[in-house]
Amino acid sequence: MGWGGGCHSALLDIQKQLRAQISNFTFNLGFSGKFYHTGTVEEDEGDDLLLKYVDEFWWFPHMWSHMQPHLFHNESSLLEQMVLNKEFALDHNIPVDMGYAVAPHHSGVYPVHLQLYEAWRRVWNIRVTSTEEYPHLKPARYRKGFVHNSIMVLPRQTCGLFTHTIYYKEYPGGPKELDKSIHGGELFLTLLLNPISIFMTHLSNYGNDRLGLYTFVHLASFLRSWTNLKLHTLPPLQLAHKYFQLFPEQRNPLWQNPCDDKRHKDIWSKEKTCDRLPKFMVIGPQKTGTTALYLFLLMHPSISSNFPSPKTYEEVQFFNTNNYHKGIDWYMEFFPVPSNVSTDFLFEKSANYFPSEESPRRGAALLPKAKIITLLINPADRAYSWYQHQRAHEDHAALRFTFYDVISARPGAPAELRSLQSRCLIPGLYSTHLDRWLTHYPANQVMIIDGHQLRTDPAAVMDEVQKFLGVTPHFNYSQALTFDPQKGFWCQLLEGGKTKCLGKSKGRKYPPMDPEARAFLSRYYREHNVELSKLLHRLGQPLPSWLREELQKITFASMSRG
Ligand code: A3P
């Protein structure tokens, strides 16, 4: 069945023998039905013997023809292959309800091939799989699990046996290398340091010199002699539940760029490209001028953005929401294939990335080289603009309560008011959020723009942005933008002298903030503004004028107190 030769009752005998040291020890055998009875006479007899004892083992489906799933772009051809293998299993009384499968050569599991997960669920109701590739093959001690599309992916360990290591005497480096690994070396340490270990070897290691049996029998007895470890075997589904009970934090995956790891690139569909990823991101926060910056960027001939999302006001909102769990294929679908990878700049703007706990870590894992642009205005003005925005969207609490009510709400206040309050105020804790981004991205990849300056002198800001990005050709924004007195903002200058301004929802007309609220917010953000000034100082960046004004208020306040 595609597992090579020499397999016979030794497998069963050793299984029995191992059960004395590992409770419930059971071999879990993978099958690719297409290769059933395609070996030598002896191998075919081995196939029959295994099937004769079908109930003694656990079984999991490989692919029907051992093809790598990532080579199938089309889900239905993947389904067909799986159905063939399932029919084979049913014909030969192989159980089909273990919920575990393994992909040939790790293909499709990580980097995730969405089609594989979908087909596995549909044909086999697969709930568990394992791989050596997440997050990377090496170092082995960093391997982890994750859950995707309700399939639990467990880390698989390496035991040092491969298709080419079938003879004891010919073991790479000599047989003592294998023995060293078992007797206190790498394999022993793998078992010692991982509460759950999954190993997979090829059936050729159970024929020939039977190194598979040799290795595990010796490993078990070495462990028994030198440790107090109790070894158990669990069926895959129970094992997976146990794993994520032990390591609940591993449930959420952290996606990386498949092209940054040669092995991952090799098992990444040729129909997919890593070029459909942004070179930079505008991360917000909301109401600081992000839409203006976004539209000005798009005026540049070498810069393009994602296709709009119909769901989230055009933004993709991948890193900060559950969209992240849809995987990078989903994300990349939002981007065009650039016509010239080296000169074209793809970007996306999602203004909620800035205050999000998860976004910096997730961003840096997938886009470690990306540049990050954030806009800051006085957090008090930001809060007020955001409140006006909620009123314009007829948010119930925003219509019911005054701005002062919102910002000054106390812990016992109605839940909708408290929720509005935190969404209003938290993004303005700039230094906390920036610190998080700077933990994951080097400072020279992060640009902090003064949003007030973008509003009053956009051409100067856009010159700086172009320099920071290193984008060519230089685009002359002072010719392309014009101040529109009616709008009260800078707008795009069209041919024939007409202007194209941002929509009604940007640059709204509303009464100025009342002084009481401003004083409250100056106090509220005082510490954070001080921290922000220290942070900008550390980065060698000038303080925006609004920040200097806020710091001066503190000096005045302490002078008048003194
Ligand atoms: P207001 O509508 O409160 O004035 P965002 O796009 O991040 O939601 O930010 C909206 C804010 O961008 C607006 O808030 C406005 O002050 C500011 N802005 C900056 N430059 C602008 C421009 N050229 N046109 C319109 N709004 C601009």
Side-chain angles (χ1 to χ4, degrees), residues 201-457:
T201 55
H202 293 84
L203 216 74
S204 44
N205 284 303
Y206 295 85
N208 305 301
D209 277 357
R210 297 185 193 157
L211 285 187
L213 305 175
Y214 173 87
T215 299
F216 290 109
V217 166
H218 282 80
L219 184 62
S221 51
F222 187 80
L223 279 155
R224 201 178 46 174
S225 314
W226 292 93
T227 72
N228 284 319
L229 291 181
K230 287 206 173 58
L231 303 177
H232 305 280
T233 301
L234 285 178
L237 201 52
Q238 284 179 42
L239 191 72
H241 285 306
K242 183 107 203 151
Y243 186 87
F244 287 109
Q245 257 168 26
L246 285 172
F247 304 106
E249 74 289 352
Q250 288 186 22
R251 290 187 146 267
N252 288 335
L254 197 59
W255 309 126
Q256 287 128 320
N257 185 335
C259 300
D260 289 347
D261 178 325
K262 163 104 183 41
R263 291 177 59 93
H264 291 175
K265 200 170 180 218
D266 289 345
I267 48 174
W268 175 244
S269 165
K270 297 283 167 281
E271 308 212 17
K272 299 177 187 178
T273 159
C274 297
D275 300 336
R276 290 173 82 179
L277 284 172
K279 278 192 188 162
F280 71 98
M281 293 198 284
V282 177
I283 58 170
Q286 280 184 311
K287 309 318 294 174
T288 54
T290 57
T291 315
L293 178 61
Y294 172 81
L295 292 171
F296 297 164
L297 283 164
L298 286 181
M299 291 164 65
H300 193 288
S302 311
I303 297 179
S304 36
S305 169
N306 55 284
F307 307 119
S309 159
K311 288 209 182 113
T312 38
Y313 301 104
E314 323 238 303
E315 297 182 344
V316 189
Q317 304 207 0
F318 178 64
F319 296 106
N320 63 321
T321 66
N322 276 339
N323 286 335
Y324 187 73
H325 296 288
K326 297 179 182 160
I328 64 169
D329 291 10
W330 181 89
Y331 183 54
M332 286 163 66
E333 284 290 317
F334 276 97
F335 294 92
V337 179
S339 45
N340 183 332
V341 181
S342 51
T343 56
D344 287 3
F345 277 66
L346 290 177
F347 83 106
E348 67 136 330
K349 180 274 275 190
S350 290
N352 284 327
Y353 287 167
F354 179 77
S356 133
E357 291 276 336
E358 299 278 23
S359 295
R361 194 164 53 94
R362 290 174 170 176
L366 183 63
L367 311 167
K369 297 271 157 57
K371 295 202 170 158
I372 304 298
I373 299 181
T374 174
L375 283 162
L376 304 181
I377 61 172
N378 188 326
D381 293 324
R382 198 211 75 83
Y384 189 51
S385 166
W386 187 85
Y387 167 79
Q388 295 297 344
H389 182 71
Q390 297 308 306
R391 281 175 68 90
H393 282 265
E394 298 186 358
D395 176 277
H396 183 252
L399 290 177
R400 209 173 129 208
F401 296 101
T402 66
F403 182 56
Y404 192 82
D405 287 341
V406 174
I407 57 177
S408 64
R410 295 187 167 267
E416 61 163 0
L417 180 57
R418 292 281 288 165
S419 149
L420 191 73
Q421 180 188 42
S422 54
R423 287 184 294 136
C424 181
L425 296 179
I426 287 176
L429 307 175
Y430 294 154
S431 58
T432 305
H433 304 307
L434 269 176
D435 263 339
R436 209 171 28 234
W437 282 94
L438 289 165
T439 309
H440 294 279
Y441 279 97
N444 64 1
Q445 277 172 243
V446 179
M447 181 180 196
I448 303 166
I449 295 177
D450 175 5
H452 290 291
Q453 198 196 353
L454 180 76
R455 181 168 164 169
T456 52
D457 189 4

